[in-house]
Amino acid sequence: MKKRSIIAVSDSSEGGFSLRRRKLLKLSPLLFLAGCDISPSGGTESFLKTFQAFNDWVQGKVFDPTKLAPEYSDTDLTPEDGFRVNGYDTDTPDIDLAHWTLTVEGMVTKPGQYTLQQIMSLPKRVMNTRHCCVEGWSMIPQWGGTPLRDFLHLVGADVNAKYVAVECGDEYYTSFDMPSILHPQTMLCYEAYQKPLALEHGAPMRIVMPTKLGYKSAKWVNKLVVANDKPGGYWEDQGYDWFAGI
Amino acid sequence: MNTKKEFQHPLIIRITHWLNFIALGIMVASGLRIYNASPVFYFKIPSELTLGGWLAGARQWHFFAMWLFLLNGVIYVIYNVSTRHGRHTTLFHHSDVHGIVPMIKYYLRLQKEHPPQKKYNALQKLAYTTVPLLAIGAILSGIAIYWPVQFSFVTRLFGNYDTARVWHFIFMASLVLFFLGHLLMVAIAGWDNFLSIITGWKKSSNTTEPHV
């Protein structure tokens, strides 16, 4: 299993994914009362996956594109030394910051490669929002960057497309529904605490999306694809919920 | 002793009772797995007591069972309100207050005589009235941490995101405590009483016999 360093998920005591799957077998005796098939390849897992798709659908319905995540005052910020990197198996990729570009593909009128300077010349937003990890911990960093919808406008993206997928310098990948992408607080983030993003936090540019769980705020983003076919995600393909709204 | 059978629990109450047991069992076991990913307190729950295998699996179970728990609870409440079932026998009334101390004394063996009661004594009514409120607390605090952006006003009800997580744990722990007490009472009350939540009927109509 490839090591992951995105702020996201760990059950680090559990070891690899195949081991986790086997551990699914160790289910509570309660399930026998429910009369469930507990084999990981059996009906229970596919039922839960189907149900997860239903919950994703509910999340999409509940999501209000105009509802802003609470923004906090500077005194509420998590101190900079508490700006957390998911602390296990950290595997920061080598990024050539001087020659970095963001590749844009798919349903856009101006596909190609965009430099950080082009992105930084767009309107800037600074916000103190809570970053909620799927594990349960959270922090309030100060983010700075460009609202993603402004960038989509720049590249002539078809905002009637259903999805946007991103790929990252560490081979992480994830994807989003268009309404969440167009949310005013969804940003291409290049600053934290008014300083250029540190390498371990995704330099030179990451997604920040306070309306979704942390594993959607992908670091080291280098490619963006606008599409109508639903893409997956690194954690989502393993069983985490795709919409991940909060 | 009167051996005439007495009807205790209507079918809907029996079904919702057992569905609730299953739903809450899944909720607690998978919830403890989610808790372990980033414990609120300074302890972790042994994996053997948890459900889901890893965080993603636990979340799948948790967010499936929440619907079962919610819908079952809604049916239970609608049934009770519309039929007024349990209104006099189960729902705690302010006139039950004076019955609390004698029952505590009886349970602590400070008083030999079982205080007179109808279907349930004052402490049972208190417990059976509190538990649905705890369930509502669990659901609300759950919404507070599932949707802290979409339902930020619910999160604020519990302070902030982190304190809402603590509240969610407290409601869960309170429900588990009730469950343990309930198990103990069921064990004391005996087999005939236990069967009544399955068949609906109980042999004895002697109301001074314990009924749980």
Side-chain angles (χ1 to χ4, degrees):
Chain A
M1 182 192 176
K2 189 189 176 301
K3 289 179 176 179
R4 292 292 326 145
S5 56
I6 194 82
I7 289 183
V9 199
S10 79
D11 233 352
S12 50
S13 60
E14 294 301 329
F17 184 57
S18 57
L19 181 64
R20 289 168 182 155
R21 305 263 291 198
R22 249 171 271 130
K23 286 207 167 185
L24 270 173
L25 284 165
K26 294 176 79 178
L27 296 174
S28 155
L30 268 175
L31 289 179
F32 291 105
L33 289 166
C36 289
D37 172 11
I38 59 164
S39 155
S41 58
T44 307
E45 189 172 78
S46 67
F47 169 75
L48 288 174
K49 281 248 165 88
T50 308
F51 210 92
Q52 190 174 42
F54 166 72
N55 277 329
D56 273 344
W57 176 81
V58 172
Q59 287 249 347
K61 291 287 170 196
V62 167
F63 176 74
D64 176 353
T66 63
K67 169 101 181 152
L68 295 183
E71 294 196 21
Y72 299 85
S73 68
D74 288 354
T75 53
D76 291 329
L77 284 175
T78 300
E80 209 178 329
D81 59 6
F83 185 25
R84 191 167 160 181
V85 180
N86 210 15
Y88 83 105
D89 286 355
T90 302
D91 183 17
T92 304
D94 295 322
I95 306 283
D96 183 359
L97 294 177
H99 300 102
W100 178 90
T101 56
L102 177 63
T103 304
V104 179
E105 291 178 0
M107 300 164 69
V108 297
T109 57
K110 287 175 268 182
Q113 298 190 320
Y114 292 83
T115 63
L116 192 58
Q117 285 64 39
Q118 284 175 289
I119 294 166
M120 289 174 76
S121 67
L122 291 168
K124 184 178 169 187
R125 180 176 185 129
V126 175
M127 61 185 189
N128 306 338
T129 52
R130 192 180 288 273
H131 179 91
C132 295
C133 180
V134 67
E135 290 176 343
W137 57 267
S138 69
M139 58 181 179
I140 306 172
Q142 183 173 68
W143 309 107
T146 299
L148 187 47
R149 61 181 185 185
D150 291 341
F151 180 72
L152 286 188
H153 182 70
L154 176 77
V155 302
D158 179 359
V159 294
N160 294 315
K162 287 184 182 157
Y163 306 106
V164 171
V166 295
E167 292 175 19
C168 307
D170 62 339
E171 292 172 40
Y172 188 75
Y173 62 103
T174 187
S175 55
F176 314 90
D177 54 300
M178 187 59 84
S180 298
I181 282 287
L182 298 176
H183 188 273
Q185 288 171 318
T186 295
M187 63 159 63
L188 293 173
C189 165
Y190 48 81
E191 275 183 10
Y193 297 92
Q194 298 177 337
K195 279 176 262 181
L197 208 56
L199 191 57
E200 68 268 27
H201 287 293
M205 206 198 69
R206 68 178 297 175
I207 302 284
V208 166
M209 222 172 192
T211 55
K212 288 189 191 289
L213 290 170
Y215 61 87
K216 289 292 188 179
S217 289
K219 302 197 254 188
W220 306 294
V221 170
N222 57 26
K223 189 174 178 182
L224 201 145
V225 184
V226 180
N228 263 335
D229 297 322
K230 188 176 177 180
Y234 178 85
W235 289 114
E236 295 88 331
D237 293 347
Q238 296 180 50
Y240 282 91
D241 26 326
W242 178 80
F243 196 92
I246 57 175
Chain B
M1 190 173 110
N2 194 338
T3 54
K4 193 179 74 183
K5 281 197 167 188
E6 191 188 7
F7 190 62
Q8 292 285 336
H9 305 295
L11 183 64
I12 291 185
I13 295 294
R14 283 177 277 148
I15 291 173
T16 50
H17 173 271
W18 289 109
L19 281 180
N20 192 55
F21 172 66
I22 291 166
L24 209 52
I26 295 174
M27 290 300 279
V28 170
S30 58
L32 292 175
R33 184 87 210 181
I34 297 169
Y35 166 91
N36 275 355
S38 182
V40 177
F41 303 109
Y42 295 99
F43 58 84
K44 280 201 175 193
I45 308 296
S47 291
E48 290 70 24
L49 296 176
T50 69
L51 172 66
W54 70 313
L55 179 56
R59 284 171 61 87
Q60 289 179 353
W61 278 110
H62 206 68
F63 304 141
F64 152 66
M66 71 179 182
W67 291 108
L68 185 59
F69 185 58
L70 179 70
L71 290 176
N72 192 53
V74 167
I75 290 169
Y76 176 83
V77 169
I78 288 176
Y79 175 80
N80 277 285
V81 170
S82 62
T83 64
R84 301 187 163 201
H85 172 80
R87 192 184 168 147
H88 300 295
T89 55
T90 316
L91 194 65
F92 190 81
H93 186 260
H94 59 80
S95 64
D96 293 313
V97 172
H98 63 81
I100 290 178
V101 174
M103 269 320 293
I104 292 175
K105 279 185 175 170
Y106 174 76
Y107 282 138
L108 294 177
R109 313 238 164 163
L110 298 172
Q111 177 181 322
K112 227 175 174 187
E113 290 281 300
H114 193 297
Q117 67 170 79
K118 297 207 172 106
K119 187 175 178 182
Y120 297 120
N121 67 53
L123 281 182
Q124 288 175 309
K125 288 170 90 168
L126 186 61
Y128 292 142
T129 305
T130 308
V131 159
L133 299 177
L134 291 175
I136 290 169
I139 290 166
L140 283 178
S141 58
I143 290 171
I145 56 181
Y146 188 62
W147 271 312
V149 173
Q150 300 308 324
F151 294 100
S152 50
F153 66 97
V154 181
T155 312
R156 274 198 300 276
L157 213 64
F158 295 97
N160 59 39
Y161 181 73
D162 291 324
T163 50
R165 289 183 68 208
V166 175
W167 275 109
H168 197 54
F169 191 95
I170 290 170
F171 284 119
M172 177 278 299
S174 308
L175 286 168
V176 169
L177 272 180
F178 164 80
F179 170 69
L180 295 176
H182 187 57
L183 268 192
L184 180 70
M185 298 300 284
V186 167
I188 292 169
W191 187 245
D192 182 46
N193 170 74
F194 176 72
L195 282 181
S196 71
I197 195 64
I198 297 171
T199 64
W201 293 87
K202 193 177 171 183
K203 269 190 209 139
S204 170
S205 62
N206 184 344
T207 52
T208 60
E209 296 234 326
H211 177 77
V212 184

